[in-house]
């Protein structure tokens, strides 16, 4: 049996510590610890509680010691776009405001006074989303300029957690691309753009690739958790790690990383920053070894999760599927990417308001709400497949779904029906596995990406939907 590697995979609603190792040529995994993550309201903004999040990171490390599963290295991945500013004494500046907060409303138009939306996309190829880091930073410049004046370092969320563990400040490439401040050609910070926006250049550090070492645990962390380990950069953007572990990503397959967000696209070696691509709202996020994740962000299971919280009975997710099937007769559809669904006070009311605005029948029952969301999401997937094929000039034979959402059997069936493609599902813990694979690639337990993906195929049950 090989060494243990620990993936700390943190999503917008939950996190998990998953150990991985090689055994008889297959990747084995074991969940050590799981915890909740959620937004808090602070100073009239939606924020992340990073103090609590770091305590959960430590709690999971202590469980490794308790179970005598000491990892050789540790990697942390999270969602993208959100960040922390540190001053020259390495103290946090301001609150860690989350991407679902409304502070960036209207900020895009302020940015476009400096650089047009088309020119911005031509430079970085990143899908316009109002919560991208570029708009968050410009909101700070306009509303709290003193924070940027004091800023010494800019760290994405996993980089900040790495800093707390090691004392080392390192920026990672895949997550940095979600800021919309990395040039697609140079694959480095776009300092000319940063200058144009009046942002402080010195806060943006060297970009490191996945497999790079961050450093060993600080002494106080070693004392607290009971062991020392090296912190290694995976693809710290969770989608980057998930796609790394997608076993059928090749010239004939589309991937769908399914969770709170749905990320649907193909892997490419050259970015597409054309106007045609921009108008279809595709993104060219950085991937492992300078590959590009050419994809579209789709609202995803967030809408089902939000509805579930509003229902009187806290249904299991498997029960939601059955309720949605019952409501199959409901005729209305919504644009799941409409901004009204990003962070509504009530998802039910947002769905009703959208249907009323578009002169469609409003959902009333739990079954109708769920059916509306399920079918709208599958329809969005089908539209995205058609757009991918139109932009790339290729026809893809199958879709490979990874992540927690691949367990949603009803959504899988609807997706197969609406897209007309063969669907394959698994692995469920793709993000954690991609994190672990990057660590294994660093130690040469796996020699390259091809071997890593072949190892995933051998190690996990990849199912064909409907087979």
């Amino acid at each position: 049996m090989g060494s243990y590697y620990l993936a700390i995979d943190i999503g917008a609603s939950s996190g998990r510590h998953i150990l991985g190792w090689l055994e008889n040529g297959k990747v084995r995994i074991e969940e050590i610890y799981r915890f909740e993550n959620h937004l808090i309201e602070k100073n009239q903004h939606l924020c992340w509680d990073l103090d609590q999040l770091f305590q959960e990171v430590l709690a999971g490390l202590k469980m490794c010691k308790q179970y005598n599963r000491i990892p050789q290295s540790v990697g942390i991945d999270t969602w993208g776009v959100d960040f922390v500013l540190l001053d020259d004494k390495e103290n946090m500046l301001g609150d860690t405001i989350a991407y679902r907060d409304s502070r960036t409303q209207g900020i895009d138009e302020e940015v476009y006074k400096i650089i047009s939306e088309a020119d911005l996309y031509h430079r970085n190829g990143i899908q316009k989303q109002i919560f991208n880091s570029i708009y968050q930073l410009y909101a700070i410049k306009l509303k709290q300029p003193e924070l940027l004046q004091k800023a010494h370092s800019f760290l994405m969320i996993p980089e900040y957690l790495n800093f707390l563990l090691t004392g080392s400040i390192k920026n990672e490439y895949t997550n940095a691309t979600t800021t919309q401040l990395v040039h697609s050609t140079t694959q480095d910070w776009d300092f000319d753009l940063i200058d144009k926006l009046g942002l402080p250049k010195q806060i943006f550090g060297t970009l490191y690739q996945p497999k790079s070492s961050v450093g060993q645990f600080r002494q106080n962390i070693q004392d607290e958790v009971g062991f020392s380990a090296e912190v290694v950069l995976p693809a710290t953007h969770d989608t980057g790690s998930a796609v790394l572990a997608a076993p059928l990503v090749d010239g004939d397959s589309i991937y769908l990383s399914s969770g709170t967000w749905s990320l649907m696209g193909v892997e490419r070696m050259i970015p597409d920053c054309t106007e045609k691509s921009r108008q279809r709202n595709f993104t060219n996020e950085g991937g492992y070894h300078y590959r590009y994740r050419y994809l579209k962000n789709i609202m995803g299971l967030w809408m089902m999760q939000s509805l579930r919280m509003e229902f009187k009975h806290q249904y299991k997710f498997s029960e939601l599927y059955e309720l949605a099937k019952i409501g199959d007769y409901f005729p209305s559809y919504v644009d799941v990417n409409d901004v009204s669904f990003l962070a509504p006070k009530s998802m039910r009311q947002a769905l009703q308001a959208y249907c009323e605005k578009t002169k469609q029948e409003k959902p009333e029952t739990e079954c109708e709400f769920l059916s509306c969301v399920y079918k709208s999401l599958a329809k969005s997937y089908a539209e995205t497949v058609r757009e991918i094929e139109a932009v790339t000039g290729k026809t893809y034979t199958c879709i490979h779904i990874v992540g927690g959402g691949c367990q949603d059997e009803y959504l899988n069936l609807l997706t197969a029906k609406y897209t007309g493609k063969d669907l394959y599902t698994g692995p469920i813990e793709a993000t954690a596995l991609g994190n672990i694979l990057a660590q294994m690639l660093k130690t040469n337990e796996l020699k390259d990406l091809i071997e890593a993906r072949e190892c995933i195929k051998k190690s996990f049950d990849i199912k064909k939907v409907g087979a």
Side-chain angles (χ1 to χ4, degrees), residues 147-421:
L147 294 185
L148 285 178
Q149 291 165 8
K150 295 176 182 176
H152 190 264
S153 302
F154 169 92
L155 293 175
M156 307 298 278
I157 300 299
E159 298 163 357
Y160 177 66
L161 297 173
N162 288 342
F163 161 70
L164 294 179
L165 287 175
T166 67
S168 178
I169 292 175
K170 284 192 173 180
N171 295 128
E172 187 271 325
Y173 168 72
T174 67
N175 218 332
T177 63
T178 72
T179 65
Q180 224 173 335
L181 292 170
V182 172
H183 200 289
S184 63
T185 302
T186 66
Q187 297 165 324
D188 197 359
W189 297 114
D190 188 341
F191 287 112
D192 181 55
L193 172 61
I194 289 166
D195 263 344
K196 288 178 188 293
L197 296 170
L199 302 175
K201 288 195 298 186
Q202 72 276 8
I203 69 176
F204 301 99
T206 301
L207 292 181
Y208 291 86
Q209 279 288 305
K211 296 197 305 183
S212 300
S213 175
V214 181
Q216 296 286 325
F217 287 171
R218 298 177 193 243
Q219 186 60 54
N220 65 312
I221 299 297
Q222 294 180 36
D223 294 341
E224 184 167 354
V225 303
F227 65 93
S228 181
E230 182 182 23
V231 177
V232 170
L233 294 174
T236 64
H237 186 217
D238 50 12
T239 311
S241 279
V243 172
L244 195 160
L248 291 184
V249 174
D250 56 33
D252 295 317
S253 64
I254 291 170
Y255 60 76
L256 172 57
S257 178
S258 180
T260 301
W261 285 90
S262 293
L263 299 309
M264 191 174 205
V266 293
E267 193 171 60
R268 306 181 79 172
M269 300 305 294
I270 299 173
D272 182 348
C273 302
T274 62
E275 182 63 11
K276 179 180 178 182
S277 179
R278 182 187 76 83
Q279 289 179 352
R280 292 180 182 271
N281 211 23
F282 278 94
T283 200
N284 295 268
E285 293 175 351
Y288 178 79
H289 208 248
Y290 292 116
R291 291 163 183 261
Y292 289 91
R293 289 175 283 119
Y294 188 69
L295 59 83
K296 184 169 285 193
N297 285 271
I298 301 167
M299 196 68 76
L301 304 185
W302 158 253
M303 298 178 76
M304 288 83 142
Q305 294 164 355
S306 299
L307 284 173
R308 178 174 176 260
M309 295 299 292
E310 291 185 54
F311 292 160
K312 290 180 181 178
H313 180 71
Q314 286 298 295
Y315 296 104
K316 297 176 183 176
F317 283 103
S318 58
E319 293 173 323
L320 295 184
Y321 316 160
E322 297 305 318
L323 288 171
K325 288 180 189 177
I326 294 170
D328 186 63
Y329 61 85
F330 187 71
S332 303
Y333 291 85
V334 300
D335 175 2
V336 295
N337 295 312
D338 190 85
V339 69
S340 63
F341 303 127
L342 183 61
K345 285 190 167 33
S346 166
M347 187 62 74
R348 293 169 65 122
Q349 291 177 13
L351 287 162
Q352 289 179 324
Y354 185 95
C355 289
E356 184 172 27
K357 181 178 71 174
T358 53
K359 296 181 170 52
Q360 299 182 86
E361 183 179 336
K362 292 194 298 183
E364 299 292 345
T365 68
E366 293 175 343
C367 298
E368 290 173 348
F369 279 110
L370 287 166
S371 179
C372 178
V373 169
Y374 266 90
K375 291 192 292 187
S376 297
L377 192 53
K379 183 171 180 281
S380 179
Y381 293 160
E383 290 167 351
T384 301
V385 167
R386 288 193 290 272
E387 287 184 305
I388 290 170
E389 294 183 333
V391 170
T392 62
K394 291 184 65 173
T395 298
Y396 295 87
T397 59
C398 67
I399 300 170
H400 197 96
I401 307 176
V402 299
C406 78
Q407 300 171 94
D408 192 324
E409 296 175 4
Y410 183 52
L411 183 57
N412 292 342
L413 290 171
L414 285 176
T415 302
K417 174 184 173 182
Y418 279 68
T419 63
K421 304 292 185 184

